[in-house]
Amino acid sequence: MYICLFIHSNHTPRCVYLHCEANSNTGSGTSQSKLILHFVGMGFPEKLVAQAIEENGEGNSESILETLLTYSVLENSPQQQKPSDSDHSSSDYYENFDDDLSDSYSWSEDEESTDSLPIKDKTVLALAKMGYTTDEASIAMERCGPGSSIAELTDFICAAQMAKAADPFLLDEEKPKPKRKFFENELWKRKRHRGCDRRMTFEDGETIRLPNPMIGYGVPTELCPTPYRSLPEGAMGPPYFYYENVALAPKGVWDTIKRFLYDVEPEFVDSKYFCAAARKRGYVHNLPINNRFPLLPLPPRTIHEALPLSRRWWPSWDTRTKLNCLQTCIGSAKLTERIRKALEDHQEGEPPLHVQKYVLDECRKWNLVWVGRNKLAPLECDEVEMLLGFPKNHTRGGGISRTDRYKSLGNSFQVDTVAYHLSVLRDLFPGGVKLLSLFSGIGGAEVALHRLGIPLKTVVSVEKSEVNRNIVRSWWEQTNQKGNLIDFNDVQELDGDRLEQLIHSVGGFDIVIGGSPCNNLAGSNRHHRDGLEGKESSLFYDYFRILDLVKCIMAKR
DNA sequence: GCTACTATGAAAATAAGT
DNA sequence: ACTTATTTTCATAGTAGC
């Protein structure tokens, strides 16, 4: 039996996910017995499963799992008797479970004896008894919100510990090493072990460094031979996968992402080699890298080519040829007004150097372009659409506000860049692809594949924002797609059962594409740049969870 | 409720200098 | 090689007005 324990953190109710290959024997029987079989297949004892189903009802398998996991935390239950299988990875997990749970604490007892305490204190106490520091507990409570389950909180703490441990700079600190308790599971160990091995071969704690120039395995506009790369065995498809996020994430983030995504080296590419705006991103994928080809026509690659009207007003001392990263917000009118005034004070000739510096700094910070004499302005929505490689008016209409257009666009792929990487799929799937698109946004991946001439046979798309779903749906209809577009609101809807169902009806996915939220990683975020464990950015773990499930389910077929 | 608008640095990579 | 300076960054929170 193969058991993959996945742990992640998030403020929303979620469970630790387990699945295995040996639980496919869901032939006949009542729905209840099927359900029991399902959880027993995950390694839970039948007695507990029956109890959990009774408590939660048959309908809600997620809360059943939650309950089961809570049991597992609370009791040194027979569940820890690992399957007497030969699989070592699961045994590691269960051994730890045993060791760590043998401490004599009991959640339910605490609950009785500390009834007088506020719930918060009670929870902190419980976590402290489990070996976590009160600091860790408080932070977790704060971040996960009141009413979070113990399982969620411990998930959170564990995830935070993993992130810290993955950071070589933090390892050296004099801080006592956090206890990992039973969360030192198979997955964590496996990944961490690999990470250490790697580091050993690289002398001092080597972390992922960004390449300079940031051209990944090559870009169409620079002459360079395509290097050879060999993928780790665990990364081989099917399905193919393609993951994206900001390159300039806090330290250690890409190391963690890489470890989860089967140790595949990220490909860092700046979209300034594809269009007139910079966009430094990391892509982790298992696609072939030979014989890529770009979308045609090649988009304009300088500001002047992209925005010919601005040329007339562009002063010679503004030496920019590329725009900086297109973000979700634009410069204010007040700012452009301040700049105009500063410039008008010096009509004759060029403004003094300190004014030039001030203006240029603001131009770079806000991606302002010249639209008149001494007149600067932020980019228009349709200009952003064009720069990112979307069809004109892609995000226009249908009730979307201007602010939301900027936001959706700023969070999107640069289509030409992604298309270049995905172009190898055209020969691999001449009949078209079946795509699982997570965090689809405004459909950058779909647009890229379509423009590459790769038919979209099926697209299962998951996107939280309704306006974004509408944009994709509307694009789907306007481009007369022949395939089937199925959309979901939340990645949480895609649990093992749903995926199995989908894969069964669709016939498997050819590629899983997704760029998980970056807002807790992005440098522009002054308030909550919390790293991969942040509220939204931790959804990366759902990308991994779903990808890994798809991998496992498809391997069974 | 929605929408537009504005003020709000820090972390980390890169460039430049010694 | 080391230090210092410069550059860049898929954003959030609060407010005002409708």
Side-chain angles (χ1 to χ4, degrees), chain A residues 430-505:
Chain A
V433 293
K434 290 166 287 185
L435 165 68
L436 175 55
S437 173
L438 305 176
F439 315 105
S440 306
I442 57 175
E446 289 83 347
V447 173
L449 289 166
H450 178 65
R451 286 190 55 194
L452 283 164
I454 301 172
L456 297 165
K457 291 201 288 196
T458 305
V459 175
V460 173
S461 161
V462 186
E463 170 57 39
K464 189 103 185 152
S465 152
E466 192 187 346
V467 288
N468 284 350
R469 286 201 303 276
N470 291 340
I471 288 168
V472 173
R473 176 69 64 183
S474 151
W475 170 84
W476 187 265
E477 284 160 8
Q478 281 169 35
T479 48
N480 297 316
Q481 296 289 333
K482 299 283 181 284
N484 196 13
L485 172 63
I486 307 163
D487 49 30
F488 290 90
N489 181 311
D490 198 316
V491 281
Q492 289 184 56
E493 291 177 45
L494 294 192
D495 56 10
D497 291 342
R498 183 60 66 91
L499 280 167
E500 198 136 5
Q501 196 179 62
L502 277 170
I503 289 170
H504 181 73
S505 63

Side-chain angles (χ1 to χ4, degrees), chain A residues 11-123:
Chain A
H11 69 298
T12 48
R14 212 71 77 74
C15 5
V16 180
Y17 216 97
L18 295 115
H19 61 94
C20 62
E21 290 176 354
N23 70 340
S24 57
N25 48 343
T26 48
S28 56
T30 65
S31 64
Q32 167 128 11
S33 66
K34 259 197 213 170
L35 202 56
I36 293 179
L37 222 55
H38 173 74
F39 287 108
V40 170
M42 293 178 175
F44 292 106
E46 194 173 337
K47 233 169 101 181
L48 277 188
V49 173
Q51 199 179 328
I53 292 177
E54 202 172 309
E55 279 183 30
N56 294 279
E58 286 180 41
N60 195 341
S61 57
E62 285 226 6
S63 61
I64 294 172
L65 188 47
E66 177 89 12
T67 305
L68 284 169
L69 286 158
T70 313
Y71 287 156
S72 312
V73 174
L74 302 183
E75 309 177 23
N76 193 5
S77 66
Q79 176 208 337
Q80 285 88 48
Q81 262 103 60
K82 61 170 186 279
S84 56
D85 229 46
S86 55
D87 190 278
H88 54 84
S89 50
S90 60
S91 59
D92 278 357
Y93 161 62
Y94 281 110
E95 273 164 24
N96 263 289
F97 225 97
D98 257 341
D99 293 346
D100 296 321
L101 289 171
S102 53
D103 299 332
S104 58
Y105 68 82
S106 160
W107 171 237
S108 46
E109 269 175 29
D110 288 342
E111 217 164 24
E112 304 290 325
S113 59
T114 58
D115 246 3
S116 53
L117 290 173
I119 290 191
K120 188 179 173 187
D121 295 349
K122 219 162 46 177
T123 312

Side-chain angles (χ1 to χ4, degrees), chain A residues 295-363:
Chain A
L295 286 181
L296 295 175
L298 291 178
R301 291 196 19 253
T302 65
I303 300 175
H304 289 339
E305 288 169 25
L307 308 167
L309 288 179
S310 71
R311 194 168 202 157
R312 178 168 173 203
W313 308 107
W314 210 274
S316 60
W317 47 270
D318 183 350
T319 54
R320 291 176 296 161
T321 58
K322 302 272 185 186
L323 293 161
N324 278 337
C325 185
L326 305 171
Q327 308 201 86
T328 56
C329 296
I330 60 170
S332 68
K334 282 260 169 63
L335 174 66
T336 54
E337 171 72 0
R338 280 197 295 269
I339 294 176
R340 189 178 59 80
K341 280 184 174 154
L343 287 170
E344 279 176 353
D345 289 343
H346 313 87
Q347 257 328 316
E348 63 289 343
E350 292 186 352
L353 284 179
H354 71 276
V355 176
Q356 286 184 21
K357 167 122 175 75
Y358 161 69
V359 174
L360 271 181
D361 282 349
E362 297 297 330
C363 282

Side-chain angles (χ1 to χ4, degrees), chain A residues 164-184:
Chain A
K164 269 187 200 155
D167 188 335
F169 294 101
L170 281 173
L171 277 179
D172 297 332
E173 282 181 17
E174 67 282 0
K175 281 188 204 164
K177 260 212 174 144
K179 295 182 195 169
R180 211 166 292 104
K181 284 287 164 182
F182 65 88
F183 292 98
E184 184 131 36

Side-chain angles (χ1 to χ4, degrees), chain A residues 348-549:
Chain A
E348 63 289 343
E350 292 186 352
L353 284 179
H354 71 276
V355 176
Q356 286 184 21
K357 167 122 175 75
Y358 161 69
V359 174
L360 271 181
D361 282 349
E362 297 297 330
C363 282
R364 291 201 176 97
K365 190 188 294 181
W366 292 105
N367 263 333
L368 304 176
V369 293
W370 299 92
V371 294
R373 175 185 288 278
N374 296 333
K375 227 166 65 166
L376 283 156
L379 293 165
E380 285 296 320
C381 293
D382 59 334
E383 291 169 333
V384 180
E385 276 172 355
M386 178 267 295
L387 287 161
L388 288 175
F390 287 93
K392 195 157 194 163
N393 295 333
H394 183 71
T395 59
R396 190 178 185 184
I400 187 172
S401 74
R402 207 176 140 78
T403 312
D404 281 346
R405 281 183 81 184
Y406 281 116
K407 188 172 174 187
S408 292
L409 285 161
N411 283 314
S412 169
F413 288 163
Q414 206 288 326
V415 171
D416 299 271
T417 312
V418 171
Y420 186 61
H421 297 157
L422 299 180
S423 62
V424 296
L425 291 168
R426 199 171 69 176
D427 286 342
L428 291 168
F429 301 98
V433 293
K434 290 166 287 185
L435 165 68
L436 175 55
S437 173
L438 305 176
F439 315 105
S440 306
I442 57 175
E446 289 83 347
V447 173
L449 289 166
H450 178 65
R451 286 190 55 194
L452 283 164
I454 301 172
L456 297 165
K457 291 201 288 196
T458 305
V459 175
V460 173
S461 161
V462 186
E463 170 57 39
K464 189 103 185 152
S465 152
E466 192 187 346
V467 288
N468 284 350
R469 286 201 303 276
N470 291 340
I471 288 168
V472 173
R473 176 69 64 183
S474 151
W475 170 84
W476 187 265
E477 284 160 8
Q478 281 169 35
T479 48
N480 297 316
Q481 296 289 333
K482 299 283 181 284
N484 196 13
L485 172 63
I486 307 163
D487 49 30
F488 290 90
N489 181 311
D490 198 316
V491 281
Q492 289 184 56
E493 291 177 45
L494 294 192
D495 56 10
D497 291 342
R498 183 60 66 91
L499 280 167
E500 198 136 5
Q501 196 179 62
L502 277 170
I503 289 170
H504 181 73
S505 63
V506 167
F509 292 107
D510 300 316
I511 179 157
V512 180
I513 301 181
S516 62
C518 69
N519 51 349
N520 304 125
L521 311 178
S524 336
N525 190 340
R526 283 135 151 99
H527 300 91
H528 298 105
R529 195 182 187 188
D530 303 329
L532 204 54
E533 317 310 327
K535 194 173 161 190
E536 285 84 21
S537 292
S538 58
L539 288 169
F540 157 73
Y541 296 109
D542 277 281
Y543 177 87
F544 166 72
R545 174 181 65 85
I546 290 169
L547 171 62
D548 207 44
L549 275 171

